[in-house]
Amino acid sequence: MAVAGAQPRAPWASNAEESRGRLFPEPDAGSRSAFRRDADRIIHSSAFRRLAYKTQVFSYHEGDHFRTRLTHTLEVVQVARSIARALGLDEDLAEALALAHDLGHPPFAHAGERVLDACMGAYGGFDHNAQSLRVVTRLENRYPDFDGLNLSWETLEGIVKHNGPLTGPLPHAIEVHAERQDLWLWSWPGAEAQVAAIADDIAYDVHDLDDGLRAGLFDIEEFASLPLIGDIIADIRTRWPDIDRARFIHEIGRRVITALIEDVVAETSRRAALTQPASADAVRHSGAALVGLSPRLVAAERAIKAFLFPRMYRHPRVMAEMNAAGEVVRDLFHRYMDDTAALPPEWRASVAGRTEGARARRIADFIAGQTDRYALAEHGRLFGPSPAPRAVAPGRHGVA
């Protein structure tokens, strides 16, 4: 199946004109819809700009061609808009959710998050999805009438339910926000939020293969037997037996992305034809995700993740870098907690007179907002030379 262009609006698409509105009412934005305005506000936020110097897998100093948290986000946006367009959903809302999904990520990727969560264990923990909500509702201070970006209900809903309905104990930031706004945490999110979530998986599966190859952590032959990818590799070799390595890698990536996008569109259309959701709320009230991959490509996507986990995310080179980076986060947290005079003046003022738990939360806000290079500079200022290793040597295929 080929993904078609823009489709008529699906009956189960979100409609900006029927939005549940903003926590703080504002006049309409003229020619922009409510969801377009949300996307624009995220793009112009400080937190979005800082993603340029936050790690995806490889730290910024390891090479100019590896993905950063920002370029990952932009690839998620592209995939999300493509799927939303083909399904007749609201592209602007899908874009806004893709843009916002990692705003709360601390420096040094998941290693930084794990350490910060451990440091915050006695104070409610730390979760980057919940922190994204905190960023857009409290920490971005750009407007005279409110804190945060004052995004639409549908955008906030999609941010908090990036991984589906929330049951059981809530992350701290979501629990706090729930006291002033009901985001239907028990329900599935709207279709555009589901699109942004699956676009996240598609983007990082494919670009992590590309980055792992570029870093020399593994070679093409090592995943040539995987479902989906194996057939793609065989076809490329048949059509272009003398293709150079760089073009070969790119062709693999673009074909995998295309296959996954087309499958999401086909499978979601199949589910919608069966369940006939008549509105965006019907999607929320359904008992299962509407947007998804077919069983065959669910298995193929899981095989990609299973391949990458030991060879990339747990590769000794990556682990050495991230373990050292985690120590930077741990050192900074404990230093700021023990000596608030070590904080910059504006942050020092924000923790004055607070309880220990409130002080810890503000310190977590400060660290989570740091870029990799800012965290390293802070560590150098407070402790001397950073424990984080310098750029690792190129792998067996070099680093572009």
Side-chain angles (χ1 to χ4, degrees), residues 168-283:
L170 296 174
H172 173 82
I174 297 175
E175 183 178 27
V176 170
H177 188 81
E179 294 175 358
R180 62 174 181 165
Q181 188 177 32
D182 183 3
L183 294 175
W184 293 17
L185 301 179
W186 47 269
S187 78
W188 284 92
E192 290 82 0
Q194 296 183 37
V195 164
I198 203 164
D200 185 20
D201 282 348
I202 291 171
Y204 78 71
D205 283 344
V206 176
H207 68 50
D208 284 358
L209 284 173
D210 182 86
D211 281 353
L213 287 167
R214 186 182 299 278
L217 302 185
F218 46 79
D219 206 352
I220 294 171
E221 294 305 323
E222 295 178 55
F223 58 77
S225 62
L226 291 182
L228 175 65
I229 297 179
D231 291 342
I232 289 171
I233 289 173
D235 185 65
I236 294 170
R237 283 178 168 156
T238 298
R239 295 187 63 184
W240 300 287
D242 298 321
I243 191 170
D244 65 74
R245 187 172 184 278
R247 293 175 194 265
F248 196 174
I249 292 170
H250 176 74
E251 187 68 14
I252 293 169
R254 81 180 193 88
R255 289 195 185 199
V256 173
I257 288 176
T258 298
L260 292 171
I261 289 175
E262 290 181 347
D263 189 80
V264 169
V265 172
E267 175 64 14
T268 304
S269 298
R270 184 191 70 80
R271 295 179 189 180
L274 287 175
T275 58
Q276 294 289 312
S279 67
D281 279 353
V283 175

Side-chain angles (χ1 to χ4, degrees), residues 37-360:
R37 190 185 213 178
D38 287 352
D40 294 345
R41 285 184 171 183
I42 295 164
I43 289 170
H44 288 278
S45 69
S46 299
F48 183 75
R49 292 195 297 275
R50 289 196 298 270
L51 296 178
Y53 287 98
K54 290 191 176 188
T55 294
Q56 181 64 24
V57 174
F58 296 100
S59 296
Y60 72 93
H61 59 262
E62 292 197 59
D64 292 342
H65 293 263
F66 294 119
R67 270 71 173 189
T68 65
R69 193 63 56 180
L70 177 62
T71 60
H72 160 71
T73 295
L74 296 176
E75 292 182 34
V76 176
V77 169
Q78 183 271 317
V79 174
R81 288 193 67 108
S82 294
I83 296 171
R85 184 182 309 116
L87 291 172
L89 302 178
D90 192 293
E91 289 185 57
D92 289 333
L93 179 56
E95 177 183 339
L97 291 163
L99 288 167
H101 84 280
D102 269 351
L103 291 179
H105 235 299
F108 310 120
H110 292 286
E113 180 172 15
R114 283 193 298 271
V115 171
L116 194 52
D117 182 42
C119 290
M120 289 293 293
Y123 311 108
F126 180 90
D127 174 87
H128 84 266
N129 287 326
Q131 189 69 12
S132 294
L133 177 70
R134 191 166 167 85
V135 167
V136 301
T137 57
R138 291 178 180 269
L139 300 181
E140 281 287 328
N141 296 315
R142 305 175 63 83
Y143 301 95
D145 292 329
F146 46 79
D147 290 336
L149 303 180
N150 199 32
L151 303 178
S152 300
W153 185 95
E154 292 77 8
T155 301
L156 297 180
E157 178 217 22
I159 291 172
V160 300
K161 293 189 280 189
H162 184 70
N163 297 316
L166 287 104
T167 58
L170 296 174
H172 173 82
I174 297 175
E175 183 178 27
V176 170
H177 188 81
E179 294 175 358
R180 62 174 181 165
Q181 188 177 32
D182 183 3
L183 294 175
W184 293 17
L185 301 179
W186 47 269
S187 78
W188 284 92
E192 290 82 0
Q194 296 183 37
V195 164
I198 203 164
D200 185 20
D201 282 348
I202 291 171
Y204 78 71
D205 283 344
V206 176
H207 68 50
D208 284 358
L209 284 173
D210 182 86
D211 281 353
L213 287 167
R214 186 182 299 278
L217 302 185
F218 46 79
D219 206 352
I220 294 171
E221 294 305 323
E222 295 178 55
F223 58 77
S225 62
L226 291 182
L228 175 65
I229 297 179
D231 291 342
I232 289 171
I233 289 173
D235 185 65
I236 294 170
R237 283 178 168 156
T238 298
R239 295 187 63 184
W240 300 287
D242 298 321
I243 191 170
D244 65 74
R245 187 172 184 278
R247 293 175 194 265
F248 196 174
I249 292 170
H250 176 74
E251 187 68 14
I252 293 169
R254 81 180 193 88
R255 289 195 185 199
V256 173
I257 288 176
T258 298
L260 292 171
I261 289 175
E262 290 181 347
D263 189 80
V264 169
V265 172
E267 175 64 14
T268 304
S269 298
R270 184 191 70 80
R271 295 179 189 180
L274 287 175
T275 58
Q276 294 289 312
S279 67
D281 279 353
V283 175
R284 294 185 175 95
H285 287 285
S286 65
L290 176 65
V291 178
L293 290 162
S294 66
R296 181 178 71 87
L297 285 201
V298 165
E301 196 264 345
R302 287 176 179 168
I304 294 172
K305 283 183 167 63
F307 174 87
L308 286 169
F309 188 81
R311 294 170 179 84
M312 187 167 184
Y313 310 134
R314 292 295 181 265
H315 190 282
R317 279 174 55 196
V318 175
M319 290 298 293
E321 175 94 4
M322 290 299 101
N323 288 339
E327 290 303 307
V328 171
V329 173
R330 183 176 290 107
D331 287 347
L332 290 177
F333 181 86
H334 290 301
R335 180 61 178 271
Y336 296 146
M337 283 294 287
D338 293 341
D339 178 16
T340 58
L343 291 162
E346 64 274 21
W347 286 91
R348 190 185 316 145
S350 76
V351 302
R354 291 184 178 239
T355 64
E356 182 178 333
R359 185 169 76 251

Side-chain angles (χ1 to χ4, degrees), residues 370-395:
Q370 293 178 6
T371 62
D372 293 15
R373 63 180 183 177
Y374 184 90
L376 291 172
E378 273 289 275
H379 195 276
R381 177 178 72 86
L382 296 172
F383 297 97
S386 169
R390 292 172 296 177
V392 295

